[in-house]
Amino acid sequence: MNTAIPTAAITSGLRLDQCAKGANVRVVNLIEQPLFGAQDEHVSLRLKELGFLPGAPLKVIGFGLLGADPLAVQVNGTKFALRRAEAAKICVEPISI
Amino acid sequence: MSAVPIRLALVGNPNCGKTSLFNRLTGARAKVANYPGVTVERRSGMVTALENPAELVDLPGTYSLFVTSPDEQVARDVILGQLAGERRPDLLVAVVDACNLRLGLRLVLELRSLNRPMVLALNQMDEARRRGISINTAALSQAIGIPIIETVAVNSQGVTELRKVLDSYAQQPPIPNGEQVLTLSDRQESVEALYDQIESLIKQHVIQPAEFPRWQDRLDAVVMHPVLGLVVLFTTLLVIFQAVFAWATPAVDLIDGAFAALGEGVAGTLPDGILKDFIVDGLIAGVGGVLVFLPQILILFLFILILEDTGYLTRAAFLLDRPMRELGLSGRSFIPLLSSFACAVPGIMATRTIADPRERFITIMVAPLMTCSARLPVYALIIAAFIPQQTVWGIFNLQGLTLFVLYFAGVVSAALIAWFMRRRAAREEFPLLLELPSYRWPMAYHLLIGLRERAWIFLRRVGTIILALSIVLWFLATFPGAPEGATQPAIDYSFAGQLGHFMQPLFAPLGFNWQMCIALIPAMGAREVAVSALATVYAVGEESIDAALGATLAASWSLPVAYAYLAWFVYAPQCISTIAVVKRETNSAKATTFFTIYLFALAYFAAWATYQIASAIVN
C-alpha cells in the first residue's frame, strides 16, 4: 500500500475510476499517480485548473470502447474525457441528489 | 496613421469560439504559417474597418499559462514575448465562452496577474441567454478591472463594438519596450484561491442554471454509448470514406479531362518541338497533377471541419482512444489514417488535429501504408494479368482475395511500425484530459473560410513543390531524345531510361527487369503512372492499354516477379506529393528524409522477401 495516501482518501476509499456510469460524486482530494512519473505534478495542477478541486461535484457520463476507458466526466457544466490513470488520481465520495 | 501597427493577440480556452471571432475581425484574411521550429500553426491578419492599423494574432487555445502541450507553450511564449521573432502583443484580447465561464475566467484572472493591457470578449452570448444564463457584464467588468464586450461570433453583433474598443487602443502608438520579455513568476495564488475568487464573482454577477440543456445530455447518451456510439461512429466514417472515395471521383475526372483537353488544345496550336512537349507534358500535366488532389482535400476537410465544429470529433476520439492506444496512438489518429485510404495527402494534412507531437509524427510516418486509390490501377493491372479468376473456399474470388491481402498487409505493417516507433520512444503515459465541448450547429461562414485556408495551403506550399518535381521528372524522361533510327521507345534513351538501366543491378535480387525499374521513375509523380510508363517501355499501343499490357506482362514477367512488384507498391513512397506534404507538415528535412528512406528500405525488403519466397515455392 502506498503510505502517501492522505487520510481523507482512506475514510471514503473511493476513486473516480471505480465509479459507475451516472454516479454523482464529490472530489475529496487528488493523490499521486506513479504512472505519470515526473509529470504527475503537472497532471495534478492541470486537473485542478480544469475544476477538479476538493468539493467540486462530478458526474460520470460515459465510458470509451474497451475496458471502460477513457471515462467522460462532467464538472462545473463542462465535460471532460479522462483516462483511467488520470481518474485514479481523484478521490471522491458519493453524494445524493 | 502610425508606422508600426499595434499588435493584438486573441487568447482563450480551446472551443471558446476564438477562431470564429478572429475570422469576423479580420474579414477572414488570415496569413497561415508555422511558428519557427515547431508545427504549431500561426494565424494572423489585419483587423478590418479600423482607423488605425492593428495586426491580430490568433493564439492556439490554452487553459493555462502553466503549459502541458506545444500549442499551449507557443501561446504562453507569445504572450510573454519569449518567442524569438515574435514581438510581444500590445493588447491581449481574452475570449471567454459565456456558457463556460469558470474555465474562461480562470485563464483571464491568471493573465491579469501579468499586468498587461487586456480586454475581454464574452463570446457566445446568444447561446448563454438561450440557456438562461444572465451576466451583469458592467459589474463583472468593474470587479475584475477589465473592459468586457459581449460578442456573438455567429453574426456581427458585438463585433462592431469590439472593433471600436480595439481602435481606441490602436490609436496609441505601440508601447516602445515591446521587446521586453516578461517572466512568469511562481504561481502567486493557489488554484484553490483563484477558484474561490471566481465562485464569488459568479455568485455576485451571474445567474446560472445548474443544469446542462437536456438535449445535449441525451445526444451524449447515444453518441458516447459503447454500442449505439459505435453505430453512429461507423456510419459517420462510412459516409466520409464513401465521400472522399466516390464523390470526389467526378470532380477528379473533370479536372483530369479538362487538363487533358487543354493539353490537346495547346498541342494543336503549337509547332512540334521541345517547347510544345514542355508545355503539354511538363507544365499542363504537372498543374493538372496538383489540382486533381483538390476535390479529395476539400471533401475530407469539409467533413473534418463539420465534425470539429459540432463537437463530435472529440467524442469520436474519446470512443476510439483505447483501441488506438494499443498501437501507441490515440483516438485522434483515426480519421487521418482512415482518410489515407483515399489519399495520403489529405490524410497527412488532417494530422493537425493531433495534439501530441510524437503521436502526430508516428501517424504521418505510417499514413502512406494505408492503400491509397492511386495504387489501385497498378494492383488491378498486375492482378488481372497474373492471378487467375478462380473461386477459392467456395465463396472467395482469388483476385479479390489478393487485393484484400495487399490492403491488409498495409494496415498490419502500419500497426506494427506505429507500435514499434512508440516502443522505442520513452514510453511515458501522456495524459488525455480532453474537453468534450457542447454540441453546436456548424457555421457555413466558418466552414467556407476553413476550406479556403486548407485549399490555399495545399496549392501554395505543396502544389509548388509538386509542380517543380513534376517538371524535373518530365525533363528526366524526355532528355536526351532518341537518336535517329532508334529501335527502342524514346524513354529508353532518356536520363530516366539510363537511370532505370543503372538501377537494375540493384533491383536484380528482387527480380525486377530494367523495364520495371524505368517505370518506377515516372511513377514517382503518381503511382498510377506506372501503368502508362510500363505501356510505354513495352511499346504497347495506347488503345485498351490494360488488356494488351496485361498480356505482355504475363508473357514477360514470372509470377514471383509480379508478386514482388506488388509488394514494392504496398510500401514504396512512390509519390512526390506525399513526400512534399510530409515536408510541409513536419517542417523538418530530417523527418522527411527518414520517411522516404525507411519506406523505400521497407519496400525493398518486402519485395526481396516476396520474390525469394515465391521463387522457392514456384520452383
Side-chain angles (χ1 to χ4, degrees):
Chain A
M1 271 310 281
N2 190 343
T3 50
I5 294 178
T7 44
I10 293 167
T11 52
S12 109
L14 188 62
R15 293 190 324 248
L16 184 59
D17 62 318
Q18 299 162 333
C19 294
K21 187 172 171 175
N24 284 288
V25 295
R26 195 192 310 277
V27 178
V28 177
N29 60 5
L30 301 184
I31 57 171
E32 198 188 324
Q33 168 61 271
L35 255 180
F36 291 138
Q39 285 222 8
D40 185 65
E41 222 174 305
H42 291 115
V43 181
S44 297
L45 179 60
R46 180 46 60 96
L47 281 170
K48 284 194 208 165
E49 286 174 343
L50 297 181
F52 294 91
L53 283 167
L58 309 179
K59 184 175 182 188
V60 181
I61 51 176
F63 293 114
L65 211 50
L66 292 172
D69 187 18
L71 57 154
V73 185
Q74 186 170 326
V75 53
N76 290 335
T78 312
K79 295 170 180 177
F80 287 101
L82 304 180
R83 285 186 181 155
R84 298 203 80 80
E86 290 133 56
K89 288 177 63 64
I90 304 172
C91 292
V92 294
E93 60 186 9
I95 48 174
S96 48
I97 41 164
Chain B
M1 206 174 110
S2 56
V4 190
I6 187 171
R7 278 191 73 145
L8 318 172
L10 281 176
V11 200
N13 296 155
N15 313 306
C16 68
K18 209 162 42 65
T19 301
S20 319
L21 199 59
F22 174 87
N23 287 337
R24 284 284 163 198
L25 284 170
T26 57
R29 299 265 157 224
K31 275 201 307 195
V32 186
N34 276 332
Y35 284 99
V38 283
T39 49
V40 178
E41 217 163 51
R42 179 187 192 277
R43 302 156 45 84
S44 67
M46 301 300 289
V47 182
T48 54
L50 287 198
E51 307 226 325
N52 306 282
E55 192 203 13
L56 184 67
V57 183
D58 184 13
L59 294 179
T62 183
Y63 290 108
S64 163
L65 291 175
F66 294 83
V67 299
T68 55
S69 75
D71 277 35
E72 292 188 335
Q73 174 97 39
V74 164
R76 186 193 72 178
D77 288 352
V78 172
I79 293 168
L80 298 180
Q82 285 175 344
L83 199 69
E86 281 280 329
R87 215 180 83 220
R88 193 178 60 188
D90 303 301
L91 174 70
L92 297 178
V93 184
V95 186
V96 170
D97 178 356
C99 305
N100 207 345
L101 262 180
R102 281 187 182 81
L103 216 50
L105 278 180
R106 209 204 61 77
L107 179 64
V108 169
L109 293 188
E110 204 171 83
L111 289 169
R112 190 180 61 169
S113 66
L114 296 173
N115 286 319
R116 298 287 301 157
M118 175 157 63
V119 296
L120 200 165
L122 203 52
N123 207 15
Q124 279 151 18
M125 276 306 291
D126 53 339
E127 175 64 23
R129 283 194 203 102
R130 216 171 301 141
R131 288 194 195 177
I133 300 171
S134 143
I135 303 168
N136 185 344
T137 315
L140 184 63
S141 165
Q142 197 151 38
I144 59 176
I146 297 166
I148 298 182
I149 299 103
E150 296 184 5
T151 54
V152 178
V154 192
N155 53 47
S156 52
Q157 194 189 326
V159 177
T160 322
E161 205 192 323
L162 181 58
R163 268 208 182 83
K164 258 185 239 153
V165 175
L166 298 183
D167 213 6
S168 72
Y169 275 93
Q171 259 174 13
Q172 305 145 17
I175 301 145
N177 60 354
E179 314 301 321
Q180 193 196 320
V181 167
L182 292 174
T183 46
L184 204 58
S185 54
D186 285 335
R187 188 178 285 273
Q188 286 155 357
E189 6 185 32
S190 70
V191 190
E192 287 86 348
L194 214 54
Y195 261 108
D196 284 346
Q197 253 183 58
I198 293 165
E199 288 309 324
S200 83
L201 283 173
I202 287 178
K203 204 171 279 169
Q204 287 171 51
H205 309 297
V206 182
I207 301 164
Q208 202 166 25
E211 277 301 301
F212 234 73
R214 261 280 160 70
W215 68 272
Q216 296 250 356
D217 286 342
R218 287 209 187 112
L219 196 52
D220 264 342
V222 175
V223 164
M224 300 205 292
H225 189 273
V227 179
L228 294 175
L230 259 196
V231 174
V232 172
L233 179 69
F234 278 102
T235 313
T236 313
L237 294 178
L238 198 68
V239 171
I240 297 179
F241 196 40
Q242 175 70 15
V244 175
F245 225 120
W247 301 358
T249 313
V252 170
D253 289 347
L254 199 70
I255 293 174
D256 247 355
F259 274 86
L262 181 67
E264 272 171 39
V266 172
T269 56
L270 285 176
D272 276 356
I274 210 66
L275 180 69
K276 175 177 132 177
D277 283 355
F278 172 71
I279 291 181
V280 174
D281 299 330
L283 211 54
I284 295 179
V287 174
V290 172
L291 287 183
V292 288
F293 286 112
L294 214 48
Q296 288 187 339
I297 290 177
L298 290 181
I299 292 177
L300 175 64
F301 272 96
L302 178 65
F303 278 102
I304 290 183
L305 287 168
I306 291 174
L307 294 186
E308 223 172 6
D309 279 14
T310 50
Y312 181 70
L313 199 62
T314 46
R315 266 105 179 155
F318 166 82
L319 272 181
L320 291 171
D321 183 63
R322 189 60 212 260
M324 295 299 286
R325 211 185 325 157
E326 297 298 326
L327 307 176
L329 301 172
S330 82
R332 295 245 168 201
S333 332
F334 196 76
I335 285 180
L337 289 179
L338 186 84
S339 331
S340 300
F341 277 107
C343 176
V345 171
I348 289 171
M349 284 173 77
T351 59
R352 277 183 183 270
T353 49
I354 303 172
D356 175 8
R358 181 77 199 160
E359 185 190 335
R360 179 159 181 245
F361 177 81
I362 295 176
T363 310
I364 291 175
M365 291 296 137
V366 301
L369 293 175
M370 306 293 131
T371 300
C372 68
S373 50
R375 271 174 257 205
L376 270 178
V378 183
Y379 289 176
L381 171 74
I382 297 176
I383 288 177
F386 289 91
I387 312 293
Q389 273 279 14
Q390 209 178 71
T391 306
V392 280
W393 303 316
I395 45 168
F396 295 108
N397 174 310
L398 191 58
Q399 293 191 337
L401 211 58
T402 311
L403 190 63
F404 175 78
V405 169
L406 293 172
Y407 270 81
F408 191 68
V411 173
V412 170
S413 310
L416 285 174
I417 290 161
W419 177 83
F420 180 74
M421 285 172 106
R422 198 62 177 190
R423 272 293 132 112
R424 274 198 54 223
R427 200 177 156 79
E428 201 166 65
E429 185 84 35
F430 196 84
L432 185 65
L433 287 177
L434 202 60
E435 184 183 341
L436 304 165
S438 304
Y439 291 105
R440 227 172 265 154
W441 199 245
M443 281 159 56
Y445 178 73
H446 193 187
L447 294 181
L448 283 176
I449 290 164
L451 276 186
R452 195 185 64 186
E453 224 172 80
R454 288 302 127 194
W456 191 233
I457 287 176
F458 174 73
L459 292 178
R460 276 248 327 257
R461 303 278 158 62
V462 185
T464 43
I465 308 178
I466 299 176
L467 183 59
L469 289 173
S470 310
I471 290 171
V472 170
L473 277 180
W474 168 81
F475 180 84
L476 288 179
T478 312
F479 291 100
E484 289 288 325
T487 50
Q488 298 291 325
I491 193 173
D492 199 10
Y493 300 96
S494 69
F495 290 124
Q498 294 168 19
L499 205 57
H501 283 290
F502 177 75
M503 273 158 54
Q504 201 271 329
L506 181 67
F507 284 81
L510 320 185
F512 291 11
N513 57 27
W514 62 265
Q515 288 97 332
M516 296 164 88
C517 293
I518 289 180
L520 291 183
I521 295 165
M524 280 305 291
R527 291 178 177 93
E528 69 267 27
V529 174
V531 174
S532 57
L534 282 171
T536 312
V537 281
Y538 279 107
V540 176
E542 289 289 319
E543 301 303 317
S544 70
I545 276 185
D546 268 24
L549 183 58
T552 312
L553 294 187
S556 58
W557 297 1
S558 70
L559 190 61
V561 172
Y563 280 143
Y565 213 49
L566 286 175
W568 172 268
F569 272 93
V570 170
Y571 296 100
Q574 286 275 65
C575 177
I576 44 174
S577 311
T578 305
I579 297 172
V581 84
V582 167
K583 170 74 179 65
R584 148 79 193 167
E585 292 298 321
T586 58
N587 210 4
S588 149
K590 209 175 120 195
T592 314
T593 313
F594 170 76
F595 170 85
T596 314
I597 291 176
Y598 115 82
L599 282 173
F600 271 127
L602 205 60
Y604 189 89
F605 175 76
W608 174 80
T610 307
Y611 178 65
Q612 299 298 338
I613 294 169
S615 299
I617 293 172
V618 169
N619 298 330

